[in-house]
């Protein structure tokens, strides 16, 4: 946790910090239900601007709880913490009152258990990658409804690398 706090301090020096809050619900392998919260803060950078579109993004610190089926050997649930830079292609100005987007990310995640059901993750550390799409709407685009397909695995750092996939629906509020 000290590592994440130090990393946040270094990355956020000199930036104005407007935190956004996201709630996510989803389902994955091992008959796993997942719920979580995330804090997000947008980058001040806008790259590859073409017309109304640009590449931007945000930092995300997340917590989720996984409730799976207890298998022959593993535990039935675990908690997970993550830190992820998210890249997002989005419009600068709304299109018919909406801000559609697509996003992709790879981040680091720590889990409280090394097993879930019959999956043995081998170590309590994982990389998580996701691709997603959604739409911001409402006054000033403050509401955000999105979908993510997320894959977590240890990238071969452990003895085994089964990975796990999730389908997630997210609702965020941009302050």
């Amino acid at each position: 946790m000290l590592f994440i706090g130090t990393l946040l301090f270094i990355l956020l020096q000199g930036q104005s910090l407007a935190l956004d809050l996201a709630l996510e619900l989803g389902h994955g392998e091992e008959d796993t239900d997942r719920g979580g919260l995330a804090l997000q803060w947008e980058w001040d950078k806008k790259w590859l601007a073409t017309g109304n579109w640009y590449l931007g993004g945000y930092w995300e610190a997340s917590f989720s709880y996984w409730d799976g089926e207890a298998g022959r050997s593993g535990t039935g649930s675990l908690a997970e913490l993550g830190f992820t830079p998210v890249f997002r292609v989005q419009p600068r100005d709304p299109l018919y009152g909406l801000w559609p987007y697509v996003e992709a990310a790879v981040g680091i995640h720590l889990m409280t258990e090394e097993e879930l059901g019959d999956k043995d993750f081998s170590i309590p550390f994982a990389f998580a990658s996701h691709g997603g799409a959604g739409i911001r709407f409402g006054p000033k685009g403050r509401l955000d409804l999105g979908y993510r397909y997320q894959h977590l695995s240890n990238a071969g750092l452990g003895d085994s690398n089964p990975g796990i996939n999730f389908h997630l629906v997210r609702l965020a509020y941009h302050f």
Side-chain angles (χ1 to χ4, degrees):
M1 201 61 167
L2 179 62
F3 169 75
I4 292 175
T6 304
L7 183 62
L8 288 175
F9 177 77
I10 292 168
L11 294 172
L12 297 175
Q13 279 189 328
Q15 291 190 16
S16 61
L17 189 62
L19 290 178
D20 301 329
L21 181 63
L23 169 69
E24 71 179 19
L25 297 172
H27 190 76
E29 297 168 354
E30 296 297 306
D31 200 20
T32 304
D33 292 321
R34 177 174 160 183
L37 293 172
L39 291 176
Q40 304 172 178
W41 53 101
E42 289 189 28
W43 304 334
D44 292 334
K45 305 286 184 200
K46 291 182 169 92
W47 299 291
L48 306 174
T50 304
N52 190 33
W53 294 87
Y54 69 94
L55 174 64
Y58 57 92
W59 298 106
E60 179 176 279
S62 61
F63 168 80
S64 66
Y65 176 77
W66 305 2
D67 184 13
E69 292 291 315
R72 292 185 300 271
S73 59
T75 181
S77 63
L78 60 84
E80 170 252 333
L81 289 171
F83 184 74
T84 307
V86 180
F87 292 89
R88 181 181 273 190
V89 175
Q90 58 196 352
R92 183 176 297 118
D93 297 313
L95 306 169
Y96 304 103
L98 303 172
W99 290 264
Y101 63 83
V102 293
E103 65 182 29
V106 175
I108 55 173
H109 292 251
L110 300 172
M111 300 175 290
T112 58
E113 303 290 336
E114 295 177 11
E115 295 179 338
L116 182 71
D118 287 332
K119 284 199 186 263
D120 181 357
F121 301 114
S122 182
I123 59 175
F125 172 82
F127 293 100
S129 57
H130 82 256
I135 201 154
R136 288 180 66 167
F137 59 97
K140 299 182 183 178
R142 293 197 186 276
L143 294 171
D144 181 333
L145 181 62
Y147 165 80
R148 284 183 179 175
Y149 179 78
Q150 186 177 50
H151 172 76
L152 290 95
S153 74
N154 66 30
L157 297 175
D159 295 333
S160 63
N161 185 23
I164 190 167
N165 300 309
F166 288 98
H167 296 277
L168 302 165
V169 175
R170 297 173 45 89
L171 179 62
Y173 185 81
H174 299 272
F175 291 93

